[in-house]
Amino acid sequence: MLRLIAGSVCVALVLWVWSTVFYVISPIPYMTMSKTADDVAAGEALLEHFPETGTYILPGRYADDATRKQMRNNGPVATIYFTREGSPEASVVKILIGTFNSFVIGLMLGVSMLFLNRYTTSYWSHVAIGTLFGMAYTAYPRFADIIWSDFPYGYQLMMIFSDGFSWILIVMVMAWFTRPPAKSTRPQ
């Protein structure tokens, strides 16, 4: 149990370091995002047209058929995540919730790896199995967003890289803490 908790703490730490390096220090994520002509004017237009905090899809489900067809054929098509009240980038509450989230993910991954101990024989088998499951889940929603929701592929591919690399890191950390016990090679 102590190894499971220690592994979960290490997972939270590794995810914090990776996220800081990738999203704060590295310019890569921001190379996949477009720039508005004027952020303040764009924000004011959003406030004018979107009545409340929420997720909006253009054309929306409530648009008539002619509007939907016209916008799907000629644009614009958009998914907008909108928060009217603003949101601080790195509040203490967000950091604590994010750290707890990473800890819980590590814990769940660790418990699943302990179940694998019945069937696997090594650290690397844990890493291989965990990585395959993680990569399948990482790619599924991102490619689905490109196909079905018209999300720009550059941003989604960057997120596949970020999520996939994060997953591989946490699998390798947790596999170390939950690896199967070494089999004795002494004659019986």
Side-chain angles (χ1 to χ4, degrees), residues 111-171:
V111 168
S112 68
M113 286 184 170
L114 289 175
F115 286 124
L116 281 176
N117 280 349
R118 291 186 213 160
Y119 310 103
T120 59
T121 58
S122 71
Y123 166 80
W124 289 110
S125 58
H126 271 52
V127 170
I129 292 167
T131 297
L132 287 174
F133 278 113
M135 296 311 289
Y137 178 74
T138 294
Y140 166 72
R142 300 296 179 183
F143 282 117
D145 280 344
I146 292 170
I147 296 164
W148 302 109
S149 299
D150 303 305
F151 282 26
Y153 67 88
Y155 176 79
Q156 294 299 77
L157 293 176
M158 179 274 300
M159 290 303 295
I160 288 171
F161 171 77
S162 171
D163 294 350
F165 194 80
S166 299
W167 187 258
I168 291 168
L169 286 174
I170 67 172
V171 163

Side-chain angles (χ1 to χ4, degrees), residues 10 21 24 41-42 57 94 102-103 107 112 131 135 138 161 169 188:
C10 287
V21 168
V24 177
I57 297 174
K94 278 187 180 182
S102 297
F103 177 83
L107 195 60
S112 68
T131 297
M135 296 311 289
T138 294
F161 171 77
L169 286 174
Q188 303 265 336

